[in-house]
Amino acid sequence: MIQKPYLVFLGDVATEPLAKTAFGVRDWLPGEVLGQSRRPGCGVDLGLPELTPEQAAQQGARSLLIGVAPIGGAIPLSWIPSLLAALEAGLDLVSGLHTRLSDIAPVRETASRLGRALHDVRHADRVFPIATGGKRSGKRLLTVGADCALGKKYAALAIARALEAQGVDTDFRATGQTGIMIAGQGVAIDALVADFIAGAAETLSPDAADDHWDIIEGQGSLFHPAYAGVTLGLIHGSQPDALVVCHDPLRKVLHSHAGYPIASLQTVIDRNTEAARLTNPAARVVGVSLNTSRMGPAEADSLMAELEDRHGVPCFDPMRSSLRPLIERMLQP
């Protein structure tokens, strides 16, 4: 059991997309994040109190959560003193990176000596089957997008919350480390052997009542040269009835792959729908979710209205807009 509240560790990352875990727990676990801890040179600020591990422990923190995801998912050697300091202060460690905390000898030995817990949430503790492709009962929505780190998790969480508010039987299904830290359960899809991704997605969203909705957090992008395989397996295994396409209108090239321009929204809609219809011929796009955090309200509203007219589906920002039109579209027979 992961112990909360958290002190969020930002390391020395330079840009916000690398800190999406930190922003996710800050935004979706209000009251459970006491502060932030940063190394020199860090270019990200959550707007939370700057605390040492000792100060955080004195204020009631129970765990240091690594809130960043460097390219490749490795834990840099320069972070180890900070992790050891947290253990010495009485905090457990929580990580969603590919490198296991328990594989780092000083961390493992210090945690053992002090009786602290090491939580590697990215690594599943079960074996998944090969996908069957068989139709499952219940309804499913999957968030997809043109790139990584542009709002698929936020959209899924907001949609699940809006459905619950209307009394719809709903589960948020986490597929990444941040979602798991928020929901308390799920499967980190991108840490699995490729042959088992679709099977894990089937297992994550099992048979359900006909009026039940699973809202499945998307991962990666069909348009990403590194992560498209993860996305495709998740799409096939999820068998979504509904797709919400997530988009950052100000992003022109892929994050961390500047040689690849962002695909047009219509292309993203077409390719994801085509992929989804392999295992669910009735799959359809029901909405577009925009990340308008760097736009003014009037500019954002104008763009959303324009995209609604162009693509014929509700367009919204999950952090700024009403989701009622989207929910109505989802629930149409």
Side-chain angles (χ1 to χ4, degrees):
M1 180 68 70
I2 297 176
Q3 300 296 315
K4 302 170 186 173
Y6 293 132
L7 170 64
V8 176
F9 178 66
L10 293 168
D12 46 15
V13 297
T15 61
E16 291 188 357
L18 294 176
K20 63 180 183 179
T21 294
F23 284 99
V25 295
R26 183 201 67 179
D27 292 342
W28 295 95
L29 289 177
E32 299 284 11
V33 179
L34 299 184
Q36 64 185 18
S37 173
R38 300 185 292 172
R39 288 180 50 80
C42 181
V44 176
D45 187 350
L46 300 176
L48 296 173
E50 199 80 35
L51 301 176
T52 66
E54 294 80 6
Q55 292 170 333
Q58 291 170 2
Q59 294 184 25
R62 304 292 300 279
S63 300
L64 179 81
L65 182 149
I66 297 177
V68 294
I71 302 301
I75 294 177
L77 292 177
S78 61
W79 290 5
I80 293 178
S82 299
L83 303 182
L84 297 180
L87 292 170
E88 295 285 357
L91 303 180
D92 294 341
L93 300 183
V94 183
S95 171
L97 301 182
H98 287 295
T99 299
R100 292 178 184 265
L101 292 165
S102 56
D103 287 343
I104 303 172
V107 172
R108 180 181 65 249
E109 293 163 2
T110 301
S112 177
R113 172 173 59 84
L114 298 173
R116 309 284 180 243
L118 303 177
H119 298 280
D120 290 297
V121 303
R122 198 182 207 114
H123 299 277
D125 57 1
R126 60 181 297 185
V127 176
F128 295 101
I130 297 292
T132 68
K135 179 64 176 175
R136 306 190 299 283
S137 58
K139 296 291 186 181
R140 290 161 189 85
L141 179 144
L142 176 68
T143 54
V144 295
D147 194 7
C148 305
L150 47 60
K152 294 184 290 292
K153 174 176 63 270
Y154 276 52
L157 285 162
I159 293 166
R161 179 179 290 178
L163 286 168
E164 290 170 354
Q166 292 199 23
V168 178
D169 187 24
T170 306
D171 280 306
F172 167 72
R173 302 297 188 182
T175 62
Q177 69 271 23
T178 311
I180 294 171
M181 292 170 186
I182 294 169
Q185 59 183 343
V187 179
I189 291 291
D190 66 358
L192 301 178
V193 174
D195 278 357
F196 302 100
I197 291 174
E202 289 184 354
T203 303
L204 180 68
S205 176
D207 283 312
D210 289 343
D211 60 351
H212 175 89
W213 278 90
D214 275 344
I215 308 303
I216 304 167
E217 173 193 10
Q219 294 295 326
S221 170
L222 290 179
F223 302 88
H224 201 289
Y227 308 127
V230 174
T231 308
L232 189 61
L234 180 58
I235 289 173
H236 290 162
S238 297
Q239 297 178 4
D241 300 278
L243 296 163
V244 165
V245 174
C246 302
H247 181 58
D248 180 344
L250 300 183
R251 192 178 299 187
K252 304 304 181 185
V253 296
L254 294 186
H255 169 63
S256 79
H257 286 67
Y260 287 82
I262 292 289
S264 72
L265 191 53
Q266 187 61 56
T267 299
V268 178
I269 290 171
D270 293 342
R271 296 284 176 80
N272 280 278
T273 303
E274 179 185 21
R277 286 180 175 170
L278 175 71
T279 53
N280 186 351
R284 62 192 176 112
V285 170
V286 297
V288 172
S289 175
L290 289 189
N291 179 348
T292 66
S293 58
R294 294 180 292 157
M295 302 174 67
E299 182 185 12
D301 289 345
S302 175
L303 178 60
M304 286 188 281
E306 175 189 338
L307 293 178
E308 282 193 5
D309 288 343
R310 185 185 307 168
H311 298 289
V313 294
C315 186
F316 63 96
D317 182 318
M319 305 303 287
R320 301 169 76 168
S321 308
S322 168
L323 271 65
R324 182 173 293 277
L326 172 76
I327 301 305
E328 291 175 352
R329 183 67 169 257
M330 286 175 58
L331 299 181
Q332 287 177 355

